[in-house]
Amino acid sequence: MNTSYKILGTGSYLPELTVDNEMYAKIIDTSDEWITSRTGIARRHLCDGETTWEIAVKAASIALSDAGISPESINMIIVTTITPDYTTPNMATIIQAEMGAEKAFCFDLNAACTGFIQAFDVAMQYIMNRDTPFTALIVAAESLSKLVDFSDRRTCVLFGDGAGAVVLSNREANGDRIVSGRVYESFFGADGTGGGYMTGKAFEAASHPFRSTDKPHREDRFDHETGIFLSMKGQEVYRFATTAMPMAIETVLENAGIALDEIDYVVPHQANDRILQAAAKRIGLDPEKMLSNIAETGNTSSASIPICLDQEIRSGRIRRGQNLILTGFGGGLTYGACACVY
Ligand code: ACO
């Protein structure tokens, strides 16, 4: 579909504390060689006293300043996270208050690592269907360090903290209507039967004063045995990812009516370099076009795509007018892709 929209600005923030593989090798039975060869991760950034909303505000402020618009012109804020600071208020209203974006309505969206592209798509549906000015701020922020067990070598080395943000609009920063002719298409899927491959527990079942004592406690839906910590079946997720991501890319290309060689870059969810290279090989994509910053960030769940996008725009690799595919997969299981123009 050719339509009117523009990524007006991007921003990202990584906490200062950087933890390399050698530092993990001092606290658990692992090695730089194992982590690098299996995942491509060399280091990741971890919050050191910062909250998820604080890193979200940092990324959002950078995106807003990059977009060159004032907070009052934001109509909608969506925050994606699996590591919010509160169950209520939602993260988006905290960001609204901190930024002074008083006209924005706000909600959070949880689709694990697919969250950012789902939020991007929701925002696009508003933007494409409005004649009046509409501007969305999408912020993906994760503090996975509060969700991982640092004594579990199978998971703790994989994840990092960080935030990324994008300002999307149907108007230029000066208020002019964006001219039509930009490709946008999306494709999303889910497979709830794979929910147990990646679980994080929210609450224990209620034990209120009126609860019957003779009724058995319902068994955990997923046999989640790691308390508040994340649990992952790595090989199952790997198999899913190397199938779902190529399928999502091929489907969105077909829906958009564009060929793979018209795509300048794929900005994928950063979970494992081997997954990215396997996906590129499967669809016949030049591996150089599959962007990766995982060596420096680890897996930051929903934040990984906008962080990578922002870094590659700032490095000058991604330029205005280029065709991009944003693609992700994650817990749920969820997956999808968006074809868009920067
Ligand atoms: N250091 C050293 N050894 C380790 C480590 C570690 N950090 N982690 C696991 N091992 C060991 C295991 O204990 C096992 O040892 P054993 O044979 O003695 O039992 C051995 O290494 C092999 O373990 P596997 O789990 O089979 O290793 P695999 O090659 O599958 O790699 C990995 C594991 C990297 C997790 C891989 O399966 C993977 O990347 N899966 C996808 C994960 C993913 O994408 N997750 C996120 C998706 S959703 C989201 O992003 C929120």
Side-chain angles (χ1 to χ4, degrees), residues 30 34 38 113 153 198 232 234-235 237 269 271-272 275 299:
T30 190
W34 193 97
R38 303 281 179 126
C113 311
R153 67 178 184 173
M198 178 111 189
M232 184 179 73
Q235 291 193 355
V237 176
H269 168 50
N272 184 324
I275 292 176
N299 179 346

Side-chain angles (χ1 to χ4, degrees), residues 34-336:
W34 193 97
I35 302 170
T36 312
S37 63
R38 303 281 179 126
T39 69
I41 300 167
R43 63 199 119 253
R44 66 296 280 152
H45 297 252
L46 302 183
C47 287
D48 190 11
E50 295 153 299
T51 58
T52 311
W53 70 261
E54 283 175 309
I55 63 172
V57 167
K58 283 182 174 148
S61 304
I62 297 168
L64 214 61
S65 134
D66 188 41
I69 59 164
S70 66
E72 300 84 60
S73 49
I74 301 171
N75 301 95
M76 169 170 75
I77 300 174
I78 312 176
V79 172
T80 70
T81 186
I82 56 170
T83 47
D85 300 303
Y86 302 93
T87 51
T88 189
N90 65 26
M91 293 276 290
T93 51
I94 297 176
I95 309 305
Q96 186 225 35
E98 287 291 318
M99 309 276 302
E102 56 203 34
K103 293 189 186 135
F105 67 95
C106 302
F107 63 95
D108 290 3
L109 187 156
N110 175 350
C113 311
T114 316
F116 173 77
I117 53 172
Q118 289 207 353
F120 190 94
D121 192 57
V122 170
M124 280 298 299
Q125 302 311 318
Y126 277 89
I127 283 162
M128 293 188 300
N129 286 309
R130 297 273 157 123
D131 286 331
T132 50
F134 195 89
T135 299
L137 169 66
I138 305 151
V139 191
E142 304 283 7
S143 306
L144 293 158
S145 56
K146 60 186 177 188
L147 201 59
V148 297
D149 176 356
F150 281 86
S151 67
D152 177 8
R153 67 178 184 173
R154 293 165 305 164
T155 52
C156 72
V157 300
L158 304 174
F159 297 100
D161 300 339
V166 162
V167 178
L168 260 182
S169 187
N170 56 12
R171 292 291 188 279
E172 298 280 3
N174 65 7
D176 288 352
R177 179 183 282 277
I178 309 267
V179 284
S180 194
R182 288 165 170 261
V183 169
Y184 182 74
E185 197 58 66
S186 62
F187 166 76
F188 290 97
D191 176 9
T193 64
Y197 293 172
M198 178 111 189
T199 53
K201 188 113 178 161
F203 298 107
E204 294 298 331
S207 56
H208 55 74
F210 311 106
R211 193 176 151 240
S212 319
T213 47
D214 55 342
K215 286 195 184 147
H217 213 92
R218 189 184 161 86
E219 290 296 313
D220 186 273
R221 170 81 168 78
F222 297 111
D223 296 328
H224 178 90
E225 288 168 348
T226 52
I228 59 159
F229 295 124
L230 200 70
S231 167
M232 184 179 73
K233 295 188 170 58
Q235 291 193 355
E236 282 85 346
V237 176
Y238 190 96
R239 268 193 292 278
F240 159 70
T242 49
T243 309
M245 196 190 268
M247 191 268 270
I249 295 173
E250 286 179 331
T251 308
V252 84
L253 283 174
E254 194 182 324
N255 292 352
I258 47 181
L260 184 63
D261 59 13
E262 293 177 75
I263 295 299
D264 293 288
Y265 292 107
V266 174
V267 188
H269 168 50
Q270 309 285 319
N272 184 324
D273 240 349
R274 287 194 300 150
I275 292 176
L276 303 189
Q277 294 315 318
K281 192 170 174 197
R282 189 172 275 211
I283 58 173
L285 179 78
D286 174 356
E288 295 290 311
K289 289 187 170 186
M290 184 68 93
L291 299 180
S292 172
N293 65 352
I294 194 169
E296 299 298 320
T297 60
N299 179 346
T300 56
S301 190
S302 72
S304 82
I305 295 173
I307 292 172
C308 184
L309 177 68
D310 179 58
Q311 289 180 343
E312 296 290 5
I313 289 169
R314 282 168 200 277
S315 77
R317 179 140 51 170
I318 294 180
R319 298 188 304 277
R320 283 288 175 198
Q322 287 184 326
N323 290 323
L324 306 177
I325 288 187
L326 316 178
T327 181
F329 62 90
L333 300 164
T334 55
Y335 57 99

